[in-house]
Amino acid sequence: MSSQQISLNRRAVVARILEQRGDALAITSLGNPTFDVAAAGDCPQNFYLWGAMGGAVMVGLGLALAQPDKRVIVFVGDGEMMMGLGSLATVACHGAANLSIVVIDNEHYAETGMQPAHAGRGVSISEVARAVGFRHFGVARTADELEHAVETILNGEGPVQVTVKVTTEPAPTALPPRDGPHLRSRFREALLGSDAHR
């Protein structure tokens, strides 16, 4: 499907997914996924990976395995997901039932100048997820498909992988805190309680 036929706005997509998140934990890759999750509402249950490109899915897997009673949602761009494509196989092998991976796919490398990315040239990340053994996988291109996917992302037995095709329309940068120790400490406290630092 060409970019001209894509109509979903990435900022609105992320806000919709997180609208009824409850106590779900959100892990974000660098760039737009971080800005979009922050714009939807910065909170201690968000953990932003400012510079660890390619690592968001593996951080999410570790967290999901350590906290099996919490839903963990990883928001990652299509460029970063291609960089860490092998992580999907590792996730499938571990079978984390509480892990959802949402690929926000604008088919471009937004952080480096909007060069065309593999996802816009015929590579299907969701088909890779299917091939390695994900329980749920799919692509959302329309508002109706997104609504169906939200329920799976929030409550489906994982691992779940959903690619959401979004436009390249820019959005204002929404910067969450950048202080790594602060982010770590508030996330740990949100997860484990106020005695977590002791």
Side-chain angles (χ1 to χ4, degrees), residues 57-58 80-93 128 132:
V57 169
M58 295 312 297
E80 173 162 340
M81 190 69 260
M82 288 302 302
M83 185 179 193
L85 204 56
S87 63
L88 292 177
T90 303
V91 168
C93 287
V128 173
V132 299

Side-chain angles (χ1 to χ4, degrees), residues 5-137:
Q5 296 171 291
I6 296 171
S7 62
L8 293 176
N9 174 277
R10 67 167 219 262
R11 184 73 39 103
V13 161
V14 172
R16 175 63 190 95
I17 293 169
L18 292 175
E19 186 178 322
Q20 296 170 309
R21 71 186 281 184
D23 64 353
L25 307 171
I27 308 299
T28 69
S29 68
L30 82 171
N32 288 336
T34 284
F35 305 149
D36 296 339
V37 169
D42 179 47
C43 68
Q45 289 81 16
N46 296 346
F47 193 75
Y48 311 105
L49 293 176
W50 275 104
M53 187 168 181
V57 169
M58 295 312 297
V59 170
L61 173 62
L63 185 61
L65 294 175
Q67 299 291 326
D69 295 329
K70 296 276 190 183
R71 173 62 57 162
V72 178
I73 308 171
V74 177
F75 290 90
V76 62
D78 59 288
E80 173 162 340
M81 190 69 260
M82 288 302 302
M83 185 179 193
L85 204 56
S87 63
L88 292 177
T90 303
V91 168
C93 287
H94 283 278
N98 56 326
L99 179 61
S100 294
I101 299 165
V102 180
V103 178
I104 305 299
D105 180 6
N106 65 6
E107 301 184 349
H108 290 77
Y109 295 110
E111 294 303 301
T112 59
M114 297 303 290
Q115 301 92 342
H118 296 339
R121 300 167 72 186
V123 175
S124 172
I125 294 168
S126 289
E127 283 299 306
V128 173
R130 178 196 63 77
V132 299
F134 268 62
R135 187 178 299 271
H136 293 285
F137 54 89

Side-chain angles (χ1 to χ4, degrees), residues 76 150 172 185:
V76 62
V150 166
S185 296

